[in-house]
Amino acid sequence: MSDLTAEIVSPDARPAASAFPALAAPAVIWEDDRWWRFTEHTDLHEVRYLVVREDGDLVAVAPLLITHDGGGLLFYDTPKMTGDTSAFGAPELLDAQRRARWDELAGRLADARRGQYPSVALAVFGSHHGIVHAEGRDAAGRARVLAELPRLLEETAELLGCRSSSLLYATDEQAAVLGPAARARGHIPAVLGAESVMRLDAPDWETYLAGLVSRKRSRVINELRAYTEAGFTTVVREGPESLSDPIVDLQVKLRAKYGLPGGRARVQRDFDAIRETVGDSCMVISAERDGETLGFVLYLRAGHAMYGRTAGFNEDAKGVYFALTYHETNRWALAHGVREIWYGLAAYDAKRLRGCDLEARHGWFRFTGTGSTELEEVLRLQGTSEHDRLRGLGYDSTTHKETEHRCH
């Protein structure tokens, strides 16, 4: 019998960094006590925490995002992301038989999703798995926690009255332990995409450029030349004050362009919360012309890494995206001791082309409400198609076979 137990606690009762040092200035910003406080500002999910103990000792803490209806953020709303290719999946890569089945199931998903709320996801904003282990835990101790998470989450979902649940955004290494444990309990696996990571091992910008193959070096030089000839200059601002009004304006325009909800009030509220919680870790790289900000990328810095949070570009800033997001960012990073830049999921072709490594992210889903059969079937197809997408980019997850097997 396992010696691991778990307790569900509210944000005001969870262990803070003072009592759980692993949350104090960790290497990954999404595991920082301050970032968790930002997440607690959301009104789209109810935030709770799973506090895990072994023989009475606190050994791990994980965020829980509870969705009471279909209004949660797409990447953390378990029923909503199932069957939605904006979250993950590439059904156009399925063979004819599976694609026909996907199309057939698509019309049934609205009713099936409604039967799965409330829902709970073990994850944290940043498309990160969220589990944080106590300092000093060895690999065996961490593995014991991971192996029990599917059971603990099932029990948590039952206590919370949730009809569906998911463990999201685990790495290959975590999936090697989580996968078999989740599969044994009937959870449905799916590849959710890949984190794109730029790793910089050169001492400076000139050495970095010289180390690129000639084709890539020419692309960088040409994109930067076009950027400069168009009159753009790069400005870097750090700290809470980097989240200025022009940044808010660009983000509002971007959300409106893609039909995202909330408008200016939501953007301003999110930026205010970021300023209040992780403001000291903020860094905005912006493209400016004649004193006007026409493009920006907001990063959060932790140690030797930068994490892309959001971006925005004016329609007049053609050609700025690649120059600013990759080349100017890399130039600044190399000059300031940054060795990794985490760009998040999606847009894999562009990120791969500009030197990013891809690291798969995995999830496991459990549905118990009305419509479970349809959701399970479409999820298997969705995960298979996402794996096929990554394989086409030259990345083959070490744990995809459990997903592939269950699709037959």
Side-chain angles (χ1 to χ4, degrees):
M1 182 175 177
S2 173
D3 294 322
L4 288 169
T5 60
E7 176 187 8
I8 307 165
V9 301
S10 61
D12 59 1
R14 72 162 171 84
S18 57
F20 195 65
L23 292 172
V28 178
I29 192 69
W30 316 127
E31 299 175 8
D32 194 304
D33 177 83
R34 298 171 305 147
W35 182 250
W36 286 13
R37 285 193 281 113
F38 167 76
T39 301
E40 291 162 7
H41 281 76
T42 183
D43 59 357
L44 298 174
H45 300 267
E46 179 184 350
V47 178
R48 291 289 182 269
Y49 294 92
L50 195 64
V51 175
V52 183
R53 290 184 170 84
E54 185 175 48
D55 296 327
D57 294 329
L58 177 59
V59 296
V61 182
L64 303 171
L65 299 174
I66 303 164
T67 313
H68 291 281
D69 51 34
L73 286 172
L74 176 62
F75 297 103
Y76 316 98
D77 183 330
T78 303
K80 189 176 183 179
M81 67 192 296
T82 303
D84 190 329
T85 57
S86 298
F88 68 100
E92 66 276 9
L93 299 179
L94 296 170
D95 61 39
Q97 182 178 359
R98 290 180 178 178
R99 179 58 193 266
R101 184 56 177 162
W102 170 277
D103 293 339
E104 181 183 353
L105 288 166
R108 307 180 191 173
L109 294 185
D111 289 339
R113 290 185 182 118
R114 280 193 289 269
Q116 299 297 327
Y117 293 103
S119 181
V120 59
L122 194 155
V124 69
F125 292 171
S127 298
H128 192 65
H129 58 86
I131 183 77
V132 175
H133 301 273
E135 287 188 336
R137 294 283 286 178
D138 61 13
R142 294 193 298 272
R144 285 197 298 274
V145 173
L146 292 176
E148 291 296 324
L149 272 186
R151 172 184 67 84
L152 295 174
L153 187 60
E154 282 183 32
E155 295 172 357
T156 297
E158 185 175 353
L159 287 170
L160 293 171
C162 292
R163 298 189 181 96
S164 61
S165 60
S166 59
L167 291 151
L168 300 178
Y169 306 114
T171 64
D172 269 353
E173 182 181 7
Q174 292 165 329
V177 178
L178 271 170
R183 186 171 65 249
R185 302 190 69 87
H187 297 216
I188 308 301
V191 179
L192 304 178
E195 178 70 51
S196 302
V197 188
M198 180 75 73
R199 291 190 166 87
L200 303 170
D201 55 6
D204 52 49
W205 173 251
E206 289 72 22
T207 306
Y208 167 79
L209 269 183
L212 298 176
V213 298
S214 60
R215 175 173 47 84
K216 289 187 177 181
R217 184 167 55 251
S218 296
R219 181 184 299 113
V220 172
I221 292 171
N222 290 335
E223 289 177 346
L224 283 174
R225 180 185 297 120
Y227 175 79
T228 302
E229 291 177 351
F232 291 104
T233 58
T234 300
V235 178
V236 179
R237 297 179 176 88
E238 299 181 73
E241 301 311 312
S242 63
L243 302 175
S244 59
D245 287 342
I247 302 305
V248 175
D249 294 339
L250 287 172
Q251 184 67 188
V252 170
K253 290 178 181 177
L254 181 71
R255 294 182 67 84
K257 177 180 178 180
Y258 290 102
L260 299 173
R264 187 176 190 86
R266 175 169 293 282
V267 171
Q268 188 67 63
R269 185 175 61 198
D270 283 352
F271 277 15
D272 287 346
I274 288 175
R275 185 183 297 110
E276 175 188 333
T277 55
V278 291
D280 290 344
S281 295
C282 288
M283 188 191 72
V284 172
I285 298 183
S286 59
E288 302 187 6
R289 185 170 59 192
D290 299 328
E292 183 181 7
T293 299
L294 296 177
F296 81 93
V297 186
L298 167 62
Y299 296 98
L300 301 176
R301 183 169 179 179
H304 298 295
M306 288 162 50
Y307 297 82
R309 173 57 185 166
T310 190
F313 295 88
N314 190 289
E315 291 183 355
D316 295 332
K318 298 191 185 323
V320 167
Y321 175 80
F322 293 121
L324 189 70
T325 305
Y326 299 101
H327 315 324
E328 290 293 84
T329 293
N330 286 355
R331 194 203 302 264
W332 188 94
L334 285 164
H336 292 84
V338 172
R339 291 297 174 258
E340 292 182 350
I341 304 168
W342 295 70
Y343 285 107
L345 284 70
Y348 302 122
D349 288 314
K351 293 171 182 175
R352 183 83 171 191
L353 188 63
R354 282 157 181 85
C356 288
D357 296 328
L358 300 182
E359 297 185 359
R361 294 295 180 259
H362 304 267
W364 296 268
F365 296 71
R366 182 170 179 264
F367 303 104
T368 65
T370 304
S372 296
T373 301
E374 289 86 352
L375 289 169
E376 289 175 356
E377 187 174 356
V378 80
L379 181 65
R380 292 187 179 104
L381 294 171
Q382 193 175 0
T384 293
S385 69
E386 185 65 35
H387 170 256
D388 289 346
R389 188 214 306 262
L390 296 185
R391 186 167 53 186
L393 291 168
Y395 182 90
D396 198 12
S397 168
T398 58
T399 58
H400 79 275
K401 292 183 176 61
E402 63 172 287
T403 304
E404 186 74 13
H405 171 74
R406 292 173 67 87
C407 288
H408 289 285

